[in-house]
Amino acid sequence: PSVGHVVSAVVMLCYLVAFRTLLCTFNELCIRANEAPDGKWSPGNTPGVSIIKPLKGVHSLLMQTLSSCFELNYPKLEVLFCVEDANDPAVALAQELIAKHPDVDARVLVGVDTFCPSARINPKAANMAKGFRAAKYDVLWGADANTLHTSHDLSCLLRQLCPARMGLVHQMPWL
């Protein structure tokens, strides 16, 4: 790549970061304006959401990122940790967090999904497939294990998804 291409890519990345910052600020203001006075969703007016988290191994921030799932401000939620091997060290960490948060519907799903046709092409998708099948809610949120959630992330996504009757919302990563 030429110097011009590299400069163009850097400039585009800067614009995306600035746009994402403005969008997040706007979304946060909208959320605060539309929340109930106590800052919580009411169970009667919200769709249930199943969060599907593929796990494989541990990293230095895994406890923090997985803990953030349990701090989401949302009433109808389940967290499904998907792992291929029962001996994976991430299993013990997920089970520890589940025990610390009995008020959150969460479980660990272990095993290799042989039904998933993409198992050879995309191991992460194959790992998550069991979560998609086991999910009890229609709204599915696939989130990597290294994703750190804020308490309002789910509210942001649903505010985009529900009013427009969309089928998919993609959240840009924090840059």
Side-chain angles (χ1 to χ4, degrees):
S2 70
V3 173
H5 286 98
V6 172
V7 170
S8 295
V10 169
V11 168
M12 179 60 88
L13 181 61
C14 290
Y15 278 117
L16 287 172
V17 169
F19 177 74
R20 176 66 180 150
T21 302
L22 287 172
L23 183 63
C24 289
T25 302
F26 177 75
N27 277 344
E28 187 66 26
L29 291 173
C30 290
I31 289 166
R32 288 183 182 161
N34 292 316
E35 279 183 341
D38 64 358
K40 298 184 187 251
W41 286 80
S42 88
N45 69 355
T46 58
V49 176
S50 297
I51 298 177
I52 299 163
K53 283 244 181 226
L55 303 178
K56 184 167 183 157
V58 296
H59 57 79
S60 61
L61 296 175
L62 189 62
M63 176 65 100
Q64 184 180 3
T65 58
L66 296 186
S67 293
S68 69
C69 290
F70 295 93
E71 297 163 7
L72 290 165
N73 181 13
Y74 200 77
K76 290 197 295 192
L77 172 71
E78 78 170 333
V79 182
L80 302 172
F81 296 110
C82 299
V83 64
E84 290 181 1
D85 182 2
N87 295 318
D88 191 304
V91 172
L93 190 59
Q95 289 173 334
E96 177 185 336
L97 287 168
I98 291 168
K100 283 182 182 177
H101 300 277
D103 55 320
V104 176
D105 182 7
R107 57 196 159 124
V108 177
L109 304 175
V110 179
V112 176
D113 194 318
T114 56
F115 177 75
C116 182
S118 69
R120 290 185 196 146
I121 300 168
N122 188 337
K124 185 186 291 187
N127 189 17
M128 294 173 74
K130 61 185 156 286
F132 290 121
R133 267 198 290 291
K136 69 180 179 183
Y137 296 119
D138 291 336
V139 177
L140 307 172
W141 183 18
D144 283 339
N146 63 350
T147 304
L148 182 63
H149 306 290
T150 65
S151 63
H152 295 295
D153 281 355
L154 194 48
S155 301
C156 281
L157 290 173
L158 287 170
R159 288 197 195 290
Q160 301 302 316
L161 176 68
C162 294
R165 299 190 186 279
M166 292 194 187
L168 173 70
V169 173
H170 179 270
Q171 182 179 17
M172 289 183 61
W174 294 98
L175 299 174

